[in-house]
Amino acid sequence: MGRSRRTLPEELLLLALDPATGTTAQPQSLDLGLAGAQLVELALAGRIAPDGDRIAVVVPRPTGDPTLDCALELLRRRGAPVRAVHWIGGPRLGLRQIYLSHLERCGMVAAVPGQMCGVLPTTRYQATDTEISREIRARLDSAIRTGVPPDPRTAALAALAHAVGLGKHLYPGNEGRSSRSRLRDLIRHDPMGGLVAHAVMDVQNGAAAQPRRGPATAGRQAGHGARTTAEPARGVPMQPSRGSMARAVAH
């Protein structure tokens, strides 16, 4: 996979960055969204595919992206398809910071050191190339405004943005209500994005949903019976410790 194209985790993170404060909106759910975005990116690259409510590795060949390949290898080691909700709900060490550090190295954001309460060191991130962020946002705006089915990448980005709660960040207030509704509706245009987005929302609700027959039926599960707590994911990516990851990110 060439590095000329931004990955979905990178685009989701750029969407979540607040240009005024340098912090990320919805930081806790965003971590889940980044894990889900990795799955969608691997699917777009032809490495994995949905199998009901599970994720199956179909081509174990590396993509060339170290962070994505770490996830791909760990999925491969599982040997059997993994439920998306269990994978996304597993603990991850520093995934958001790894992507922030990567965006910094690529010159898309700049790290601004600071202090919390005048004592604790923090790091805020300011977008240095606002044209990229505007282009990403324009894709969502166009899909919402025109009603034309978006390409799979944009549809998946919309699904993930809705799942992690970025709708109220991107389209705030009463005036943004219809846009938030249409953002939610875009979830139906990409099966993998829909599967992952529903898994993200299930994890946030503290439940491992009963096995779904497919993304098309996912929306009908909310009213059915009690759910059981998600089992911890095993073999989730444990990211390498780096000096840049030691910085605390102000939320």
Side-chain angles (χ1 to χ4, degrees):
M1 177 184 299
R3 294 302 299 140
S4 59
R5 172 180 287 180
R6 294 180 302 274
T7 64
L8 273 173
E10 294 162 4
E11 291 194 330
L12 184 65
L13 190 50
L14 287 170
L15 270 182
L17 273 179
D18 189 319
T21 65
T23 61
T24 54
Q26 305 297 110
Q28 293 181 341
S29 57
L30 179 61
D31 291 342
L32 302 175
L34 291 174
Q38 285 187 312
L39 293 180
V40 179
E41 189 65 48
L42 287 170
L44 289 172
R47 301 312 197 266
I48 64 175
D51 180 6
D53 67 343
R54 297 174 184 268
I55 305 299
V57 175
V58 293
V59 177
R61 186 177 69 252
T63 66
D65 180 298
T67 309
L68 290 176
D69 288 342
C70 176
L72 178 62
E73 174 61 15
L74 290 169
L75 284 167
R76 185 192 67 80
R77 290 179 186 176
R78 295 291 292 269
V82 182
R83 288 193 68 197
V85 71
H86 292 165
W87 178 265
I88 291 170
R92 277 160 181 81
L93 180 62
L95 189 59
R96 183 169 18 132
Q97 183 59 52
I98 281 179
Y99 277 111
L100 282 169
S101 297
H102 171 73
L103 291 176
E104 182 186 7
R105 289 192 300 273
C106 292
M108 296 185 196
V109 301
V112 181
Q115 289 184 329
M116 181 184 297
C117 301
V119 179
L120 299 176
T122 64
T123 302
R124 297 174 183 269
Y125 290 86
Q126 298 288 348
T128 56
D129 191 340
T130 55
E131 182 62 30
I132 293 176
S133 297
R134 284 196 296 268
E135 182 271 327
I136 297 170
R137 174 68 180 271
R139 282 163 44 206
L140 289 186
D141 290 346
S142 177
I144 288 173
R145 183 178 63 255
T146 65
V148 176
D151 62 275
R153 180 172 293 273
T154 301
L157 182 62
L160 288 162
H162 166 69
V164 302
L166 288 184
K168 59 187 177 184
H169 168 71
L170 298 171
Y171 307 103
N174 288 333
E175 64 275 16
R177 182 176 300 174
S178 61
S179 293
R180 293 195 299 272
S181 177
R182 288 193 289 270
L183 179 71
R184 180 195 62 222
D185 291 342
L186 291 176
I187 200 171
R188 70 182 186 274
H189 290 294
D190 180 64
M192 184 66 177
L195 168 64
V196 169
H198 282 294
V200 168
M201 290 185 283
D202 281 339
V203 173
Q204 290 182 83
N205 290 333
Q210 296 177 358
R212 292 191 173 92
R213 288 167 291 185
T217 63
R220 298 195 293 269
Q221 298 294 328
H224 294 176
R227 296 177 173 180
T228 57
T229 303
E231 69 180 41
R234 299 181 179 87
V236 295
M238 298 299 291
Q239 306 295 347
S241 177
R242 306 181 193 175
S244 61
M245 289 172 55
R247 293 179 286 192
V249 182
H251 296 157

